[in-house]
């Protein structure tokens, strides 16, 4: 008797079209998304509903949504293997999110560190959507019965909340949702700002020149940012947990992940270095070479918006095929009258 092949683990993750994709997004999440495509069933979502939790210029949001799609494809997301889609194209996310809002205690949301730091910046403009952001994220994940969610370290708390929400719903209404596991890399889960290695590289700060490296940056811009990267007054080029060495650690992490070398090989490459200048130059060379093909492919893809829209429509169809029956089940579980 032949054994039934076990189903491939299902992966879901998302990215906001809220600004320019940077090396933190790529190394913390997207590089992994590309790697797992062959052995897992992958759903990648451009989360525009999340992006508007802080104000987005409508024209820019539209451009960035296509821009992020083009960049993800340029990074290696293959629409023949993975479903790449826009969140607002699949209504089930908004519907599921409303039901989950109603089972999520307010106190759980008020404790979220990302909410607290973003609300601190937004002040009186803080939207209700910013508070319920992680519930929408929970709906994104739970509607697909995702097994694994590859994300950066900043999303760990939201993933724990997703599991708590799923358990609460299952407890109230009966077994409905699978509990997903976060996939957080050992290296690269938190790429830091080049101008301030104590703060994570972020789209929100990407207006500050030298803070981040965008995937579409020119060679000159990449070299400018790395030349000015903040380090410390020492000379030692080794991975370290010492907060003083956060800048060097960040540069070594970029080098390691982009060259696919081990920790030991990475350190060995700098055993004869004369100082941090050599490290910055080597990292700049590696970044320029890694981003060149991505930028070229991006330029090609972005010049054909009709083709991008066609690929996103295929992705949305694949996503709806799973999310719609699941949201229907959710509605039935809570006692809604669901027409046949
Ligand atoms: N600096 C980072 N290091 C590692 N991973 C990161 N991610 C984001 N920044 C880093 C991961 O990238 C994925 C998509 O991110 P997102 O755009 O949806 O989320 P974000 O946290 O809002 O990203 P930004 O760019 O840093 O924007 P703001 O300004 O809102 O903080 C996620 O898996 C995320 O973990």
């Amino acid at each position: 008797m032949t054994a039934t092949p076990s189903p491939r683990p299902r992966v879901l993750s998302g990215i906001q079209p809220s600004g320019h994709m940077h090396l933190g997004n790529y190394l913390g999440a997207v590089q992994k998304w590309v790697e797992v495509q062959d052995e897992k069933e992958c759903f990648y979502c451009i989360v525009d509903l999340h992006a508007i939790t802080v104000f987005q210029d409508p024209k820019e949001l539209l451009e960035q949504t296509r821009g992020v799609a083009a960049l993800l494809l340029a990074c290696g997301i293959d629409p023949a293997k993975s479903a790449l889609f826009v969140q607002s194209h699949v209504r089930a996310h908004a519907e599921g999110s409303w039901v989950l809002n109603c089972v999520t205690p307010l106190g759980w949301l008020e404790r979220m560190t990302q909410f607290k730091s973003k609300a601190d910046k937004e002040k009186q403009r803080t939207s209700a959507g910013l508070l319920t952001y992680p519930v929408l994220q929970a709906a994104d994940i739970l509607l697909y019965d995702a097994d694994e969610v590859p994300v950066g370290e900043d999303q760990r708390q939201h993933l724990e909340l997703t599991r708590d929400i799923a358990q609460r719903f299952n407890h109230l209404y009966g077994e409905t949702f699978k509990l997903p596991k976060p996939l957080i890399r050992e290296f690269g889960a938190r790429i830091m700002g080049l101008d301030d290695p104590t703060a994570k590289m972020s789209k929100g700060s990407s207006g500050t020149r030298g803070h981040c490296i965008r995937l579409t940056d020119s060679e000159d811009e990449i070299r400018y940012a790395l030349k000015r990267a903040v380090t410390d007054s020492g000379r030692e080029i080794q991975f370290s947990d010492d907060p003083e060495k956060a800048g060097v650690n960040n540069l070594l992490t970029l080098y390691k992940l982009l060259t696919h070398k081990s920790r030991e090989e990475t350190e060995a490459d700098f055993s004869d270095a004369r100082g941090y200048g050599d490290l910055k130059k080597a990292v700049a060379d590696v970044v320029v070479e890694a981003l060149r093909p991505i930028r070229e492919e991006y330029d090609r893809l972005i010049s054909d918006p009709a083709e991008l829209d066609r690929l996103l429509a295929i992705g949305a169809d694949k996503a709806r095929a799973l999310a719609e029956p699941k949201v229907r089940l959710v509605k039935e579980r809570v006692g809604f009258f669901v027409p046949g």
Side-chain angles (χ1 to χ4, degrees), residues 170-183:
N170 289 347
H171 173 72
L172 291 171
Y173 296 109
E175 206 59 27
T176 307
F177 294 125
K178 207 175 221 184
L179 302 193
K181 274 194 317 225
L183 272 192

Side-chain angles (χ1 to χ4, degrees), residues 16 22 24-25 118 151-152 154-155 189 191 200-204:
Q16 298 184 75
H22 51 70
N25 300 133
K118 286 197 175 177
V151 284
D154 58 329
Q155 294 301 323
I191 300 294
K200 86 163 182 148
M201 188 178 280
S202 141
K203 295 202 204 83

